[in-house]
């Protein structure tokens, strides 16, 4: 998943003009960009500060620690994509299965706009867990579970409508989708191409469609 | 995928007794362990040297650079799992689809033996690509393609035997499998549990079985 389409100001005001909240918000945005691209271990606090134009050493004015900063980024990213999923799942102009399909196509478009340089923050940090604060583990798992539960509801509605055969367990399907989709985002970023996203999505929908 | 089951000496001789090749090999093994657990960015050369009992500063006696070391680890890991796949695919005591299933169960056992602390080196580094030497990109993609081609051959044989319906494109299925399987390994490591591996494998085989 990709943060490319997060609403974003054009340019930024000179730092002198930014208040505390605005600066903090800019640090969060820069952190989201860095973590979706490179993960946590390879991202330095200094580069985040530099990207926002904040003096070295003032980071702890805004966050208690790099760990607290990471935890907030996971939280913000998780919530952002939860809202994004819900927007697609509420689109009554499409069938339920088409709504999830539309989400996957939109995610591909968003990745393509940044030349597939950014992946999923939760996938990146999940992969890095061996080197991360242990407190991130449950937080990252919970984000996946949240996305998965929302997806299961959409799939359940699709099953009620007869788009998915009655033999499928929609909770298992939603888990399967998120496991595979994260693998697809990983490959798309590695290959700088949307092929893996389409291979996974097309395969998934073809296999479950009644 | 997991390197847990690589043949391994019991203990190691004191470093004074190790020749050049043996020391180099020990560095490779320690590197494989570190990269499957934590990835490339979070792994320091010093900890590899320390794990093997080699003096600081002597790394460049064995490898030209951290990049060259990484490239060798990717290569060795790719070949190791290619041989491992071939061993499963050649097991004539099982049907072709059962051979791929057996590989997934064995991979889960291997991860479980190390309490799911290690994932797939190629998946880890693929996820980290935003922070890695650009030369790794093609090398990592090629390893996935190699595993995928070997898997496609097994699936093709399964299709000939009627285990997979004739409507499936076995190349696409193999691509789908590796995209999703890497996602499953990521989740298994994050959750320290084999659930994701089984959810993906069971779902995959149920969906394609004729």
């Amino acid at each position: 998943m990709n943060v490319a389409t997060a609403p974003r100001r054009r340019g930024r005001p000179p730092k002198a003009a930014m208040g505390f909240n605005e600066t903090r918000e800019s640090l969060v945005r820069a952190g989201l960009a860095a973590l979706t691209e490179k993960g946590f271990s390879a991202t330095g606090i200094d580069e985040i500060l530099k990207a926002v134009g904040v003096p070295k050493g003032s980071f702890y004015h805004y966050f208690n620690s790099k760990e607290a900063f990471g935890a907030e980024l996971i939280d913000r990213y998780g919530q952002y994509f939860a809202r994004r999923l819900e927007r697609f799942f509420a689109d009554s102009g499409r069938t339920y299965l088409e709504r999830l399909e539309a989400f996957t196509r939109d995610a591909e478009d968003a990745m393509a706009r940044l030349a597939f340089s950014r992946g999923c923050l939760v996938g990146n940090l999940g992969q890095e867990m061996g080197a991360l604060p242990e407190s991130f583990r449950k937080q990252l798992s919970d984000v996946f579970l949240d996305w998965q539960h929302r997806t299961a509801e959409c799939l359940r509605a699709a099953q009620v409508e007869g788009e998915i055969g009655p033999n499928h367990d929609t909770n298992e399907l939603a888990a399967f989708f998120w496991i595979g989709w994260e693998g697809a985002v990983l490959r798309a970023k590695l290959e700088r191409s949307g092929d893996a996203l389409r291979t996974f999505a097309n395969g998934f929908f073809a296999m479950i469609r009644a």
Side-chain angles (χ1 to χ4, degrees), chain A residues 7 48 50 60 92 101 122 184 187 193 208:
Chain A
I48 303 288
K50 199 176 165 190
Y60 297 97
S92 57
E101 276 185 297
V122 183
R187 279 289 283 280
S193 149
I208 70 170

Side-chain angles (χ1 to χ4, degrees), chain A residues 3 23-40 43-45 47-49 51-52 59 63 66 69-70 72-74 76-77 118 121 124-125:
Chain A
V3 78
T23 304
R24 195 176 188 285
E25 194 59 24
S26 298
L27 291 169
V28 166
R29 290 207 173 282
L32 288 170
L35 265 58
T36 50
E37 187 169 338
K38 301 190 298 182
F40 193 78
T43 297
I45 292 299
E47 72 184 272
I48 303 288
L49 294 169
V52 176
F59 178 78
F63 301 94
K66 192 184 172 192
F69 184 52
E72 176 154 345
L73 296 181
I74 296 168
R76 295 281 287 268
Y77 190 86
R118 295 192 196 160
L121 187 145
N124 285 352
L125 272 60

Side-chain angles (χ1 to χ4, degrees), chain A residues 52-69:
Chain A
V52 176
V54 167
K56 263 195 180 190
S58 66
F59 178 78
Y60 297 97
H61 187 50
Y62 299 97
F63 301 94
N64 286 334
S65 60
K66 192 184 172 192
E67 181 172 345
F69 184 52

Side-chain angles (χ1 to χ4, degrees), chain A residues 6-28:
Chain A
R8 179 190 302 234
R9 283 185 201 86
R10 290 192 181 277
R12 55 181 156 78
K15 64 178 182 244
M18 287 202 283
F20 179 88
N21 289 338
E22 215 173 349
T23 304
R24 195 176 188 285
E25 194 59 24
S26 298
L27 291 169
V28 166

Side-chain angles (χ1 to χ4, degrees), chain A residues 15-163:
Chain A
K15 64 178 182 244
M18 287 202 283
F20 179 88
N21 289 338
E22 215 173 349
T23 304
R24 195 176 188 285
E25 194 59 24
S26 298
L27 291 169
V28 166
R29 290 207 173 282
L32 288 170
L35 265 58
T36 50
E37 187 169 338
K38 301 190 298 182
F40 193 78
S41 301
T43 297
I45 292 299
D46 284 353
E47 72 184 272
I48 303 288
L49 294 169
K50 199 176 165 190
V52 176
V54 167
K56 263 195 180 190
S58 66
F59 178 78
Y60 297 97
H61 187 50
Y62 299 97
F63 301 94
N64 286 334
S65 60
K66 192 184 172 192
E67 181 172 345
F69 184 52
E72 176 154 345
L73 296 181
I74 296 168
D75 191 46
R76 295 281 287 268
Y77 190 86
Q79 285 177 27
Y80 173 75
F81 268 97
R83 285 196 301 275
R84 196 169 179 72
L85 281 169
E86 290 304 331
R87 228 170 25 245
F88 278 93
F89 294 163
D91 175 4
S92 57
R94 293 186 165 107
T95 71
Y96 287 102
L97 215 47
E98 284 170 358
R99 297 175 200 185
L100 182 58
E101 276 185 297
F103 168 79
T104 66
R105 284 194 305 272
D106 179 76
E108 182 184 343
D109 291 344
M111 285 190 79
R113 276 197 293 279
L114 288 166
F116 298 95
S117 61
R118 295 192 196 160
C120 173
L121 187 145
V122 183
N124 285 352
L125 272 60
Q127 192 75 281
E128 279 184 274
M129 220 16 253
L132 299 190
E134 192 57 33
S135 64
F136 286 1
R137 192 183 300 279
K138 183 170 184 311
Q139 202 188 353
L140 293 166
S141 293
D142 285 350
V143 173
F144 279 136
L145 288 180
D146 176 60
W147 295 346
Q148 189 174 310
H149 291 151
R150 293 170 196 274
T151 304
E153 275 189 53
C154 179
L155 291 173
R156 203 140 42 233
Q159 194 172 45
V160 169
E161 297 292 326
E163 290 185 275

